[in-house]
Amino acid sequence: MYALDDTIVAISTPVGQGGIGIVRLSGPESLAILQGLFLADGRGPRRPSSRCLASHRLYHGHIVDPATGRRADEVLAVYMRAPCTYTRQDVVEINCHGGVAALREVLGLCLAAGARPAHPGEFTLRAFLNGRIDLAQAEAVLDVINAETSASLRVAVEQLGGRLSGHVRDVRRRLVEALAHLEASIDFPEDEIPDRDVGADLAAAADALCELAREAERGILYRQGARVAIVGQPNVGKSSLLNALLRQDRAIVTPIPGTTRDTVEETISLRGVPVVLTDTAGLGDSDDAIEQLGMERSRASLARADLVLLVVDGSRPPDEADCRVAADVAAAGRPAILVANKADLPAVDRHAAVLPSAPLARVSALTGAGIDALEERMLETILAGPATPGAEPLASNPRHRDLFRRALGHVEAAAAALAEGLEADLVAIDVSEAVTALGQVTGETAGEELLETIFSAYCIGK
């Protein structure tokens, strides 16, 4: 997988019926393979020869089986000469008709001409190995492909452009300089070593790593989304609230208590954060076996939620059933918002006591009053602070978050050792570990096993 002297080929568009499909090659024999298969269009002396295709120019013609002379497909082909390509190798892209048979036919001819099938993510891996992008940028390619909202796409595109890498390199460079000073003082104790405030280096690195870890925690929500459970006793308007948040009638709503007997899930976007809303069966007492199963699923949704909306009927005083549900919410230990529904009716101002630890939002699922304010409160709670438009986080990858935390732990340990007056070599051990952890973000210290794990998640052809 790490050999760069062979030529790889893959279908780089989803297999199925479509207007176009692309077969991509990368490697030293890319041009020769295209020249052996491509018959350029044109008549008379102006007809371009497949032997002299200009780089980065699109040509119309046909892919021809050299063994039989049969035309496999009418195509647009482009040859891109290294290093100005995605992989920094010679690259060829053949734009075929988007049918399965045509793409497989062209792919088969490329394989017969000497290319080998590409592994998942191998084109992007070659871009990384050839120094065109670092590892954080390579991972951002997959995030761009998988982005489900405009905000998550912006985060991924910024990371692809090197925004995160720049911050990581700044922190790592400072730690490397501190480590060099420590190692010089260890290796040359008799010599005069220029003064350097290693404690200041460690403090600055710790602050930066704390911020990067926080940014990554927020970014993961943009990337993976959050789960919100809507809970409450029967007939307080949980399904109506789901419909109001969705702006459509998704859940069945009737005046009959216990209409919802199973969980209903739908996804919305709160300013770019994907949020899975789960409407749950009413929590209460019942001898009905089906209702009991529904309540079990409600409690399971409550346990795995990132945020809980505890819905009560704001037009009547809270009762024991509301308090029992609130106790379940408190026991789950999840962030919660107390939603007093039916604000279109005369209000009873006694609901805050049901769950004192949670903020209170008054809404009318019937008229839509208060829904926008509730969404803002939901987003602030999910992101653990005021949601600022356009303030997308630097990072969004759980792997990066874990590495920032690991590096921070080593920096804090080094700072503690330095403050205690321990030997420089003991301080240097933790600084070195922090440098290694940050190198795994951008790829300077990434081993083969890590690369295989990362790139195996990519699709073939990317």
Side-chain angles (χ1 to χ4, degrees):
M1 187 173 181
Y2 302 101
L4 298 175
D5 56 355
D6 56 355
T7 299
I8 57 175
V9 64
I11 299 172
S12 290
T13 44
V15 176
Q17 293 182 336
I20 61 171
I22 298 175
V23 175
R24 174 193 271 179
L25 299 100
S26 178
E29 298 302 315
S30 298
L31 176 59
I33 290 172
L34 178 64
Q35 289 171 333
L37 302 176
F38 182 63
L39 179 64
D41 196 12
R43 292 188 178 87
R46 292 192 161 207
R47 178 171 185 159
S49 168
S50 63
R51 308 306 300 177
C52 55
L53 300 176
S55 178
H56 291 80
R57 182 173 178 179
L58 201 62
Y59 290 92
H60 173 257
H62 292 81
I63 293 296
V64 178
D65 185 344
T68 64
R70 179 180 57 83
R71 294 183 175 185
D73 193 16
E74 181 182 12
V75 303
L76 291 171
V78 59
Y79 158 63
M80 292 169 276
R81 182 168 50 246
C84 299
T85 69
Y86 182 65
T87 62
R88 282 193 174 168
Q89 295 182 308
D90 283 356
V91 169
V92 163
E93 290 185 357
I94 305 171
N95 295 260
C96 311
H97 289 93
V100 174
L103 287 167
R104 287 180 176 171
E105 183 81 7
V106 174
L107 176 66
L109 291 173
C110 292
L111 293 170
R116 71 160 173 83
H119 297 292
E122 191 169 3
F123 291 92
T124 304
L125 173 64
R126 290 190 172 197
F128 164 69
L129 294 176
N130 286 322
R132 182 182 174 274
I133 55 177
D134 63 29
L135 190 56
Q137 291 173 294
E139 290 175 281
V141 172
L142 187 59
D143 290 343
V144 169
I145 294 171
N146 293 335
E148 296 183 357
T149 69
S150 57
S152 59
L153 176 61
R154 287 194 297 271
V155 173
V157 169
E158 288 289 321
Q159 184 174 321
L160 180 59
R163 180 172 172 236
L164 171 63
S165 300
H167 284 76
V168 173
R169 286 198 178 94
D170 287 343
V171 180
R172 189 171 187 266
R173 180 168 54 250
R174 185 156 194 167
L175 290 174
V176 167
E177 291 171 356
L179 180 61
H181 177 82
L182 290 168
E183 291 179 341
S185 65
I186 296 168
D187 294 338
F188 308 103
E190 304 295 330
D191 297 342
E192 291 187 6
I193 306 298
D195 290 337
R196 184 180 184 92
D197 191 346
V198 174
D201 290 329
L202 297 177
D207 290 342
L209 289 169
C210 280
E211 183 60 25
L212 284 170
R214 282 194 295 267
E215 290 275 301
E217 199 67 58
R218 290 178 57 236
I220 289 169
L221 290 171
Y222 284 86
R223 186 176 192 243
Q224 299 180 347
R227 301 190 68 85
V228 175
I230 304 174
V231 303
Q233 65 166 306
N235 214 34
V236 293
K238 299 185 300 299
S239 297
S240 297
L241 179 60
L242 173 70
N243 291 341
L245 290 168
L246 292 174
R247 271 69 172 183
Q248 62 175 317
D249 291 335
R250 170 62 178 86
I252 297 173
V253 176
T254 75
I256 304 171
T259 302
T260 302
R261 295 192 171 198
D262 199 354
T263 55
V264 177
E265 292 192 346
E266 288 292 340
T267 301
I268 62 172
S269 174
L270 292 183
R271 202 180 291 165
V273 178
V275 173
V276 179
L277 299 171
T278 304
D279 178 25
T280 65
L283 293 172
D285 297 323
S286 175
D287 295 327
D288 187 293
I290 296 177
E291 289 186 357
Q292 289 176 354
L293 287 173
M295 285 186 279
E296 287 179 12
R297 295 191 177 186
S298 298
R299 291 188 174 91
S301 298
L302 175 61
R304 65 174 183 267
D306 299 297
L307 172 65
V308 179
L309 301 182
L310 172 56
V311 185
V312 296
D313 185 341
S315 67
R316 60 174 176 76
D319 56 22
E320 291 185 7
D322 290 320
C323 294
R324 284 195 297 269
V325 178
D328 287 339
V329 173
R334 302 297 186 184
I337 298 174
L338 180 62
V339 182
N341 190 27
K342 306 185 182 180
D344 52 295
L345 300 176
V348 176
D349 295 326
R350 292 167 51 191
H351 295 91
V354 172
L355 193 62
S357 60
L360 175 65
R362 297 190 181 278
V363 305
S364 171
L366 179 64
T367 67
I371 294 297
D372 290 343
L374 173 61
E375 289 179 337
E376 287 298 316
R377 179 61 63 85
M378 291 168 60
L379 187 59
E380 288 181 11
T381 306
I382 290 169
L383 297 178
T388 305
E392 280 81 24
L394 281 169
S396 61
N397 192 313
R399 188 182 78 86
H400 298 164
R401 176 201 58 197
D402 295 342
L403 288 169
F404 295 147
R405 289 176 176 174
R406 186 192 307 172
L408 176 59
H410 286 296
V411 168
E412 290 175 339
L418 186 68
E420 292 173 12
L422 299 182
E423 297 294 330
D425 55 346
L426 297 177
V427 180
I429 290 173
D430 277 304
V431 177
S432 177
E433 289 294 332
V435 168
T436 299
L438 292 177
Q440 290 180 0
V441 175
T442 50
E444 287 92 339
T445 56
E448 289 190 11
E449 184 177 354
L450 174 60
L451 296 181
E452 288 178 2
T453 300
I454 290 173
F455 286 98
S456 63
Y458 286 63
C459 59
I460 293 176
K462 189 55 186 170

